[in-house]
Amino acid sequence: MEVGERLKARRMELNLTQESVAEALGITRQTISNWENGRSYPDIERMVRLSDIYSLSLDELLKGDQEMVKQLQENTSINHFLKRFIFMLLVNVGLMIVLLINPTIGDYFILLILALISVNTLALFYLIIKKI
């Protein structure tokens, strides 16, 4: 049985409507319908919340649906990449702001900040290339 089928069967066992589940998750009824019909998959956060609402373990929801497991792994990988990427961009912006706000700092400090920006920029390019 696929994840969507499990979700629908459990929702019906609990006498819940798609609307009530959607409201509990803060999404549309159509999204619930898409999940139950296998047109899309919930993300990991919503899977955890669904397991709570339906009183099922994640293992019970996911077991046997390799496509769903693959989708969750890809989403998790993308989220980790985006978090690292955004953090590194913010570090670069912060370092650049330090340079702009305090132009009277010493030459060695300016060189250190420029070196940090360069290393961080190279790390960003590495992340992008690795992802491609």
Side-chain angles (χ1 to χ4, degrees), residues 78-93 120 124 127:
I78 290 169
N79 285 340
H80 287 305
F81 168 78
L82 289 174
K83 285 178 185 176
R84 270 188 260 144
F85 186 80
I86 290 169
F87 173 75
M88 293 172 80
L89 279 176
L90 290 174
V91 167
N92 265 5
V93 169
N120 202 30
L124 280 169
L127 269 179

Side-chain angles (χ1 to χ4, degrees), residues 25-40:
L25 295 172
I27 57 175
T28 65
R29 184 209 56 80
Q30 186 63 38
T31 301
I32 298 292
S33 175
N34 287 338
W35 294 346
E36 290 181 355
N37 293 310
R39 287 189 289 269
S40 64

Side-chain angles (χ1 to χ4, degrees), residues 81 120-132:
F81 168 78
N120 202 30
T121 302
L122 288 173
L124 280 169
F125 283 124
Y126 172 75
L127 269 179
I128 293 168
I129 291 169
K130 187 172 119 180
K131 195 63 181 171
I132 295 173

Side-chain angles (χ1 to χ4, degrees), residues 6-119:
R6 280 191 199 92
L7 292 173
K8 184 175 184 176
R10 185 62 177 166
R11 180 181 57 75
M12 295 177 97
E13 283 175 21
L14 297 172
N15 293 319
L16 297 171
T17 64
Q18 287 182 341
E19 291 84 7
S20 65
V21 175
E23 186 177 316
L25 295 172
I27 57 175
T28 65
R29 184 209 56 80
Q30 186 63 38
T31 301
I32 298 292
S33 175
N34 287 338
W35 294 346
E36 290 181 355
N37 293 310
R39 287 189 289 269
S40 64
Y41 293 110
D43 59 23
I44 188 67
E45 178 185 331
R46 290 205 172 88
M47 282 301 290
V48 170
R49 291 176 62 198
L50 281 167
S51 75
D52 290 339
I53 292 168
Y54 292 164
S55 300
L56 292 172
S57 70
L58 284 174
D59 187 48
E60 290 172 297
L61 283 174
L62 298 175
K63 191 166 250 161
D65 192 339
Q66 294 303 315
E67 186 65 30
M68 175 65 181
V69 171
K70 181 181 173 187
Q71 180 75 26
L72 287 173
Q73 288 172 336
E74 288 174 6
N75 287 347
T76 302
S77 173
I78 290 169
N79 285 340
H80 287 305
F81 168 78
L82 289 174
K83 285 178 185 176
R84 270 188 260 144
F85 186 80
I86 290 169
F87 173 75
M88 293 172 80
L89 279 176
L90 290 174
V91 167
N92 265 5
V93 169
L95 290 170
M96 289 178 200
I97 289 171
V98 168
L99 282 176
L100 291 173
I101 289 176
N102 197 356
T104 61
I105 56 179
D107 291 340
Y108 291 115
F109 193 65
I110 290 173
L111 289 174
L112 175 64
I113 291 176
L114 289 174
L116 288 173
I117 291 171
S118 299
V119 168

